[in-house]
Amino acid sequence: MIDTSFKITKTENSKISELDFNNIPFGRAFSDHMFVADYKDGQWGDMRIEPFGNFSIHPANIAWHYGQSVFEGMKATKAIDGTPMLFRPEQHSIRINKSAERLCMPAFPEDTFLEAVYELVKLDQDWIPKDEGSALYLRPYMIAMDEFIGVQVAKTYKFIIFCCPVGPYYSNAVKLKADDKFIRAAEGGTGEAKAAGNYAGSLYPAKLAKEEGFDQIMWLDAKDHKKIQEVGTMNIFFVINDTIITPPTSGTILKGITRDSALQIFEANGYKVDIRDLTIDEVMAAGKDGSLQEVFGTGTAAVVANVKEIGYKGDSITLNPDNYKVSPFLKDTINGLRSTRIEDTYGWTVRVV
Ligand code: COI
């Protein structure tokens, strides 16, 4: 039987006074508490919320060698009346379990995930920045814990949730390189999972792109290097001739929760949406004939990030994010739902009281 009751040990040494809420670096400040659970003998147990801190790991830890590691990113915000709010937390629980399944890791029970997130946010609610667009970023993750260097499915795991107060992730519009050499994901691979290894593999091509003056990579398909998949760590949207286009998430693309929210928001507000494959050639041509109106990425961390330039094989197209209409509408709607400035008719927000 799973022991889902967890013990809460509060810190006696809060670090909150050290945080400058007017100048929060992304991902470098950590709140006072974290949730931890351990998996052994085929079940999760020893669940607890405890003061945030280091834990020790054996040098032969199997996750470090073979990458059995999955994660999530989700946000808690403050409502106008100061109540802490969660946004679609159950979707993050579902997604981490899908990622875990792909990497042969055990599922973490959804009700315990939701309870852990709820209790953690309640305890560390003073760490939630109040400004709209800022948030307490929650990082749930699971790693294998076996002390063994054979390549095999681990028998022991750790599940952790810690929190970082954050400001906006990319505040400026980005310059993309459509990469015709390196890929993020291939059919049959782990592209749909939020697996640590996907991010490790993206670092080298991203470094080369930065050396060429780009901010992020637009990932193309592994076979023909033509079909657009994602951008940086985000899903991607285009507006061409007043239609919003995004590729389908058919195995190689992360099923973004912000992407899904965007599609539902667009539909509810009467936008024309087309979920279909599109190629870099089509986008470059639309950039040149004037039919490409907007390009933007969506993700939990960034929410919405505008694109101002796309480079491909030495050619480039430029866009003017100051003229964008769809992307600011989307960002305003998501941030407004999270702050309760906009009424949540979707049933996405959860008040932590
Ligand atoms: C997110 O958008 O939450 C992500 O996973 C990006 C992260 C790697 C910073």
Side-chain angles (χ1 to χ4, degrees), residues 149-160:
I149 59 159
V151 179
Q152 67 171 35
V153 176
K155 295 183 180 62
T156 57
Y157 296 87
K158 226 174 187 44
F159 184 90
I160 294 178

Side-chain angles (χ1 to χ4, degrees), residues 13-21 32 124 126-128:
N13 180 24
S14 173
K15 301 257 188 312
I16 198 159
S17 62
E18 293 170 18
L19 181 69
D20 173 4
F21 275 90
D32 284 331
D124 280 352
D126 292 345
W127 286 85
I128 306 174

Side-chain angles (χ1 to χ4, degrees), residues 69-89:
S69 168
V70 294
F71 74 97
E72 268 306 307
M74 56 194 288
K75 279 178 171 169
T77 47
K78 279 256 164 101
I80 290 168
D81 69 3
T83 309
M85 310 281 295
L86 300 171
F87 191 77
R88 310 189 75 186

Side-chain angles (χ1 to χ4, degrees), residues 188-199:
T190 58
E192 199 174 83
K194 227 165 154 52
N198 291 344
Y199 295 77

Side-chain angles (χ1 to χ4, degrees), residues 12-152:
E12 288 175 6
N13 180 24
S14 173
K15 301 257 188 312
I16 198 159
S17 62
E18 293 170 18
L19 181 69
D20 173 4
F21 275 90
N22 296 314
N23 185 18
I24 310 175
F26 184 90
R28 293 194 190 278
F30 305 95
S31 75
D32 284 331
H33 298 92
M34 62 184 189
F35 171 84
V36 185
D38 293 302
Y39 183 89
K40 63 173 190 205
D41 302 328
Q43 63 180 33
W44 289 103
D46 197 14
M47 302 190 186
R48 67 240 185 228
I49 287 178
E50 61 187 29
F52 179 85
N54 296 349
F55 54 94
S56 90
I57 291 202
H58 192 277
N61 174 284
I62 205 165
W64 282 351
H65 299 269
Y66 310 123
Q68 243 191 322
S69 168
V70 294
F71 74 97
E72 268 306 307
M74 56 194 288
K75 279 178 171 169
T77 47
K78 279 256 164 101
I80 290 168
D81 69 3
T83 309
M85 310 281 295
L86 300 171
F87 191 77
R88 310 189 75 186
E90 74 297 340
Q91 294 301 318
H92 293 278
S93 170
I94 292 167
R95 192 170 65 179
I96 200 168
N97 283 338
K98 286 223 170 89
S99 300
E101 185 183 356
R102 178 63 182 81
L103 269 76
C104 264
M105 302 168 87
F108 191 79
E110 185 174 333
D111 51 352
T112 316
F113 179 100
L114 295 176
E115 201 185 333
V117 164
Y118 194 93
E119 292 301 332
L120 192 57
V121 167
K122 197 164 161 187
L123 197 58
D124 280 352
Q125 59 182 278
D126 292 345
W127 286 85
I128 306 174
K130 290 185 187 64
D131 290 350
E132 211 180 272
S134 298
L136 189 65
Y137 185 89
L138 273 62
R139 174 50 60 90
Y141 70 102
M142 192 196 299
I143 51 172
M145 288 297 286
D146 283 15
E147 299 162 2
F148 176 60
I149 59 159
V151 179
Q152 67 171 35

